Amino acid sequence: MNTKDIEFGLDSFGEVSNESSGRLLSDAETVRLMIDEAVLAEAVGIDSYNIGEHYRPQHVDSAGHVILAAIAGRTERIRLGTSVTVLSTQDPVRLYTEFATLDAVSNGRAQLIVGRASSTESFPLFGFDLADYETLFEEKLDLLTRLLRDQPVTWSGTVRPPLTDQHVHPAVAPGGIPTWVGVGGTPQSVIRAARYGLPLMLAIIGGRPTRFAPYVDLYKRALDQFGHSPLPVGMHSLGFVARTDEEARSAYWPQWNAVMDMASRERGFSPPSARQYEAEIAEGALFVGSPETVAAKIAASIRALGLSRFDLKYDIGRLQRELRAASIELYGREVIPRVRELLEEPTVQPVPSDQRVEAAKRAGSRD
């Protein structure tokens, strides 16, 4: 595995932060904090900084492209994208112009992850009907891919006015803007990404990451059936890095618990528990711990799923800005280099049980 080709990203949902004094930052202060955190991410060697899209209190990521443009003016190398763009409630033409402009401002560093949305507050806000959930995404993804790949565009559908031999500017470089499809775990979404020939981003926020292996296999088979060459697969998960496992667990727990408790009440699943939290850290989708612990878990996930990209969502609840900064620095300076080291080590093939028994007998005879 060529570890130089693996992208390690940092994802934000624009969650409002606290100071160590307990003062809650304003929305405007949090926007500026995100810009500072992206500058720090570049300084410590992280490959990309990506912003979500939400329209709810305590989130300031509703205009991520504006924040990314501000980051572009203070950075030189780091790629700038979305951890999810809710394409269903965006206009593909406007989205294209925003990110083509960001690509120009940043000298070719823009990228996108588009999804259907698990948080649906943008539908009523912008006047869309949830009954059109599938149609909106399907048609808008079709138009967006055409805009990125083959202008002028002639297109018609049911969700927006048609286009006839339309050029949209600014033009992007050959190959367009790297655009991934974010998937939460439905086979239909995996197949759709393959049909359009777009890289797959798995949003894994609970349970063992290895349970997504069948989706990766399905994606590869579908790519082949649709006549596409192999494409990258990425993974987005929540996490937090501190100097020790105990420090990380204790700092992250109250924020994770509060966020998951609110989600459980909104979506009707069981409230979180300390036992569930520990299980998610030990074997599930929470990448929380010391640099060595988090690096080992990321490396194992990359191997198991054949990933080309791993994005760590670092902000959650009202996590203190000082803790956020420390986590970003440890992720860039220690976790990512250690993951690359681990991936360069040869994998050890398991010894069949009968061979282990014989080896134990031989060892015993030498004692």
Side-chain angles (χ1 to χ4, degrees):
M1 179 179 292
N2 187 351
T3 64
K4 293 181 180 179
D5 295 334
I6 299 175
E7 177 179 330
F8 292 93
L10 193 68
D11 288 358
S12 171
F13 283 1
E15 296 186 59
V16 174
S17 182
N18 264 337
E19 290 186 328
S20 57
S21 65
R23 185 182 74 87
L24 186 67
L25 270 62
S26 69
D27 286 0
E29 288 174 314
T30 302
V31 168
R32 294 191 291 273
L33 174 63
M34 292 168 66
I35 296 169
D36 290 341
E37 289 171 340
V39 172
L40 174 61
E42 177 174 86
V44 300
I46 297 170
D47 296 315
S48 66
Y49 187 85
N50 312 287
I51 299 175
E53 181 187 350
H54 298 82
Y55 301 88
R56 55 173 56 196
Q58 307 303 313
H59 292 260
V60 297
D61 59 344
S62 57
H65 65 287
V66 179
I67 302 173
L68 293 169
I71 295 167
R74 292 182 55 188
T75 57
E76 297 180 355
R77 175 196 58 80
I78 195 167
R79 290 189 279 277
L80 303 170
T82 59
S83 53
V84 66
T85 292
V86 184
L87 183 58
S88 305
T89 55
Q90 293 267 3
D91 180 82
V93 177
R94 172 56 67 193
L95 182 64
Y96 170 86
T97 61
E98 290 168 350
F99 276 81
T101 303
L102 174 65
D103 202 53
V105 167
S106 65
N107 193 22
R109 291 186 278 147
Q111 58 185 21
L112 279 163
I113 298 172
V114 297
R116 296 184 301 169
S118 59
S119 298
T120 58
E121 63 269 8
S122 63
F123 283 77
L125 182 63
F126 295 113
F128 292 98
D129 191 339
L130 274 170
D132 300 325
Y133 190 78
E134 285 291 338
T135 301
L136 284 164
F137 187 73
E138 180 69 39
E139 290 193 8
K140 291 185 177 187
L141 183 61
D142 180 59
L143 177 53
L144 180 64
T145 54
R146 293 182 189 219
L147 289 165
L148 291 168
R149 291 172 174 171
D150 190 23
Q151 294 197 35
V153 171
T154 296
W155 179 92
S156 64
T158 64
V159 299
R160 59 148 291 132
L163 301 176
T164 302
D165 202 28
Q166 181 72 53
H167 285 276
V168 183
H169 296 280
V172 295
I177 297 167
T179 301
W180 301 58
V181 175
V183 173
T186 63
Q188 295 83 357
S189 295
V190 171
I191 293 170
R192 180 189 287 117
R195 176 157 50 87
Y196 281 99
L198 295 171
L200 181 72
M201 176 59 71
L202 300 168
I204 305 179
I205 59 173
R208 294 173 182 260
T210 51
R211 69 190 175 91
F212 281 77
Y215 293 105
V216 176
D217 292 339
L218 173 63
Y219 177 65
K220 291 178 179 178
R221 294 197 308 272
L223 282 173
D224 183 62
Q225 290 183 13
F226 288 121
H228 298 300
S229 300
L231 289 169
V233 176
M235 171 181 172
H236 154 106
S237 282
L238 284 64
F240 174 71
V241 191
R243 274 294 164 199
T244 68
D245 289 344
E246 181 54 38
E247 181 184 344
R249 285 195 198 92
S250 61
Y252 199 75
W253 158 250
Q255 306 304 328
W256 180 87
N257 184 49
V259 168
M260 296 303 293
D261 183 63
M262 179 178 294
S264 70
R265 285 185 273 112
E266 289 178 350
R267 303 184 188 186
F269 57 80
S270 300
S273 66
R275 178 178 293 182
Q276 178 190 359
Y277 177 66
E278 293 297 334
E280 286 290 349
I281 292 174
E283 298 181 340
L286 281 183
F287 291 75
V288 174
S290 67
E292 184 65 25
T293 294
V294 174
K297 192 168 183 179
I298 293 174
S301 297
I302 291 173
R303 286 191 188 276
L305 299 176
L307 303 177
S308 298
R309 176 176 173 181
F310 179 88
D311 286 358
L312 184 76
K313 182 187 175 297
Y314 71 97
D315 57 352
I316 187 169
R318 297 180 177 183
L319 190 66
Q320 290 178 12
R321 64 187 302 169
E322 295 85 356
L323 295 176
R324 286 165 52 148
S327 181
I328 292 168
E329 185 145 2
L330 289 169
Y331 178 55
R333 294 195 188 280
E334 299 190 26
V335 173
I336 292 173
R338 181 57 178 151
V339 174
R340 296 191 194 279
E341 288 178 359
L342 290 169
L343 292 174
E344 288 169 357
E345 295 176 358
T347 55
V348 178
Q349 297 298 322
V351 179
S353 58
D354 57 343
Q355 294 183 23
R356 291 199 299 270
V357 170
E358 291 301 319
K361 290 179 178 178
R362 289 195 297 272
S365 67
R366 292 193 296 268
D367 291 341

